Amino acid sequence: MDYYLCLPICLISILVCLNYKKGYILKKHYPLFITSLIFLFASCQSTKAVSDLEKQQSNAPSIDNTITLLFAGDVMAHNVNYNMKDYDIIWDGVRDTVQECDLAFANIEAPIDTTKPASNYPYFNMPKAYVQATIDAGFNVFSLCNNHTNDQELSGIKETIKTVNSLKTSEKEKGNEIYFAGVKEHSADSFTFQLIEKNGWKILFLPMTEILNRPLANQYINYINSSSKKRQEFADFCKKLRDENPCDLFILSWHANEPEYTRVVTEAQEAFYQSLLEAGVDIIWANHAHIIKDRKITINEETGSSKIIMYANGNTISGQRTKPDFKSENPIGERDNTGDGLFYKVTFGKKKKSDQITFVKSENIFITTYITPERNYIIHKMDDNFINYLDDNGFSNWARYIEKRITINNTYTKEIIEWQ
């Protein structure tokens, strides 16, 4: 309600409660008096809280076309995951959320070599059917480069390329376009990227890693080492890539050379990310830490244009949390943190006549990997519906644990919005 409308209504309500002849508040009207005061101050506070956004929206031309993007985290397949008989049930709890977005991004943290059996840490190999289930859930843009890309050596990289080409062909026959990038056919090739056209939008997608567990076949991966010189050269490459590929949004998937299982972002990492944004990148979607970190949106107040950094979205699915700490009042152990992830949902719009790109809204959707009594590892949104389901089915230990994990994620991670 508008402040100038709510103020007289509140004052009238208060006056009704007052007895001017006796000079005190009628006891029977006391609750109405208190409610009116609360409503008055809440209305003022709400107006103040949204004033910046209202100012931007009132000054901005109408939006003609929007696109909604969803960014997940690491899709992993430990033995507890790939030994499941049905991979589709992994995604049933979040399928609708993924499919309502125009593009949904995920990092495939393993080779997909169909000539070898699935394998666990330290040298992963993911079944093709596991990736197919992820596609069927609605994901359609994938990074293939990370510290595990060469776990099956050069032959694994080449087989991964064959596998994803097969998946792309079969999906195209269904009328579904999917996109993979991050590995190369030949060692001399430049970094692989995708130029995606969707609903009148042109998206430049480049996945990179600056960390490998071992140096094998690194010439076949979108990889740079994390030296200052290589980082500067890469920023220059990004500027050139954008100039050569005009687009509405330039999205960079970045597998960061940073410590795992910590939410810390170093000054050096932050400075590097800022240099990439200045070089023409619009969205940095970083991962590797296996834990949720902050998100930062920098919005130009006049134009509505924005730059976004996701410092890490945690694990989307994994088998790293096998024994949730139900007994702790504050379960923030390393393995407990790896069981949660973030779906970061962002909508952009094009302004009428100018085609200016503007930030519209964002949504933080915390997810968790729940272990069923049958030992299936499945994903759920962390919300009241899931907690009620757990309580109704006699899993109060899980329900209380999820309540604590929601508090932890909201306390230890945040969305930072900066206006320029």
Side-chain angles (χ1 to χ4, degrees):
M1 181 180 295
D2 186 87
Y3 172 78
Y4 297 104
L5 179 60
C6 75
L7 179 60
I9 292 175
C10 291
L11 291 175
I12 291 170
S13 299
I14 293 170
L15 290 174
V16 169
C17 299
L18 292 176
N19 184 330
Y20 285 101
K21 292 181 180 179
K22 295 184 179 180
Y24 61 89
I25 300 171
L26 296 176
K27 292 183 179 180
K28 68 177 181 178
H29 294 306
Y30 185 77
L32 177 58
F33 175 72
I34 294 300
T35 301
S36 299
L37 286 175
I38 293 172
F39 182 65
L40 172 61
F41 291 123
S43 299
C44 297
Q45 182 62 35
S46 297
T47 301
K48 182 179 180 181
V50 300
S51 60
D52 285 344
L53 183 58
E54 287 178 344
K55 179 180 177 181
Q56 182 218 350
Q57 291 174 338
S58 63
N59 292 335
S62 299
I63 292 172
D64 188 36
N65 185 16
T66 63
I67 190 167
T68 299
L69 312 175
L70 183 142
F71 297 91
D74 296 328
V75 173
M76 307 188 75
H78 293 84
N79 56 356
V80 293
N81 306 117
Y82 62 68
N83 285 334
M84 290 173 53
K85 294 180 179 179
D86 183 359
Y87 299 145
D88 287 330
I89 64 173
I90 293 171
W91 303 100
D92 286 344
V94 295
R95 193 180 303 275
D96 290 347
T97 300
V98 178
Q99 292 183 354
E100 68 187 9
C101 300
D102 296 298
L103 295 173
F105 297 73
N107 171 52
I108 300 294
E109 187 124 349
I112 320 164
D113 184 347
T114 60
T115 68
K116 300 173 184 175
S119 58
N120 198 18
Y121 179 85
Y123 303 124
F124 286 113
N125 190 36
M126 189 178 291
K128 180 180 179 180
Y130 197 83
V131 181
Q132 182 66 62
T134 308
I135 295 168
D136 293 342
F139 288 94
N140 48 15
V141 187
F142 299 93
S143 167
L144 295 172
C145 57
N146 47 72
N147 56 306
H148 288 287
T149 299
N150 58 359
D151 278 4
Q152 300 302 319
E153 304 182 1
L154 178 57
S155 62
I157 294 173
K158 291 186 175 294
E159 289 299 325
T160 296
I161 293 172
K162 290 180 183 178
T163 301
V164 299
N165 285 338
S166 172
L167 288 166
K168 288 170 64 176
T169 298
S170 61
E171 288 300 310
K172 194 165 188 176
E173 291 172 353
K174 303 174 192 174
N176 184 27
E177 291 284 347
I178 57 173
Y179 307 90
F180 296 89
V183 292
K184 311 175 190 178
E185 291 272 9
H186 308 287
S187 60
D189 290 348
S190 184
F191 299 137
T192 60
F193 62 90
Q194 290 285 342
L195 199 55
I196 303 168
E197 296 191 25
K198 186 77 173 181
N199 298 343
W201 289 74
K202 190 172 286 187
I203 310 293
L204 176 60
F205 174 61
L206 172 67
M208 296 291 301
T209 184
E210 61 174 352
I211 181 172
L212 292 171
N213 291 348
R214 47 186 181 165
L216 296 170
N218 63 60
Q219 306 95 329
Y220 292 82
I221 303 169
N222 281 16
Y223 164 75
I224 65 165
N225 68 49
S226 54
S227 67
S228 297
K229 179 182 178 182
K230 289 298 183 182
R231 284 182 164 185
Q232 181 57 57
E233 289 176 355
F234 179 71
D236 294 340
F237 171 82
C238 287
K239 185 178 186 307
K240 182 173 182 289
L241 184 67
R242 175 141 200 179
D243 289 343
E244 294 174 348
N245 297 274
C247 59
D248 297 308
L249 293 170
F250 182 179
I251 299 173
L252 174 68
S253 169
W254 191 257
H255 215 75
N257 185 8
E258 61 184 3
E260 297 176 300
Y261 315 118
T262 174
R263 302 187 201 273
V264 173
V265 178
T266 66
E267 290 184 7
Q269 199 77 9
E270 176 68 18
F272 174 52
Y273 289 159
Q274 292 301 325
S275 73
L276 294 174
L277 297 180
E278 292 169 6
V281 176
D282 295 301
I283 300 173
I284 297 174
W285 168 47
N287 280 299
H288 177 60
H290 304 299
I291 187 173
I292 306 168
K293 296 190 181 187
D294 294 343
R295 291 73 62 199
K296 183 167 74 173
I297 309 173
T298 304
I299 305 174
N300 184 298
E301 188 171 359
E302 292 184 1
T303 66
S305 63
S306 64
K307 300 282 187 176
I308 296 177
I309 304 174
M310 290 161 273
Y311 295 97
N313 288 3
N315 287 336
T316 296
I317 182 66
S318 77
Q320 289 191 286
R321 182 181 66 190
T322 56
K323 297 178 181 179
D325 188 356
F326 294 137
K327 295 181 180 180
S328 175
E329 288 301 313
N330 189 28
I332 56 171
E334 182 179 287
R335 293 295 156 177
D336 289 282
N337 290 332
T338 64
D340 295 347
L342 174 74
F343 283 173
Y344 193 55
K345 186 177 175 182
V346 188
T347 299
F348 293 90
K350 287 184 182 180
K351 296 178 182 178
K352 288 184 177 178
K353 298 181 181 179
S354 68
D355 271 352
Q356 172 93 37
I357 307 301
T358 182
F359 168 81
V360 177
K361 62 180 179 179
S362 63
E363 183 179 358
N364 297 274
I365 304 168
F366 292 114
I367 60 171
T368 195
T369 298
Y370 167 59
I371 308 171
T372 72
E374 298 78 24
R375 303 300 295 177
N376 288 317
Y377 284 60
I378 62 176
I379 306 169
H380 276 279
K381 287 185 284 188
M382 302 177 76
D383 57 19
D384 289 340
N385 288 336
F386 183 42
I387 292 170
N388 291 337
Y389 163 82
L390 293 169
D391 277 326
D392 291 345
N393 287 275
F395 306 124
S396 60
N397 56 346
W398 266 104
R400 305 291 79 75
Y401 178 77
I402 296 301
E403 288 175 338
K404 295 170 187 174
R405 291 300 310 171
I406 291 172
T407 299
I408 289 166
N409 289 323
N410 282 311
T411 301
Y412 291 91
T413 80
K414 57 188 177 296
E415 181 180 68
I416 305 160
I417 300 180
E418 295 182 347
W419 296 82
Q420 291 185 339

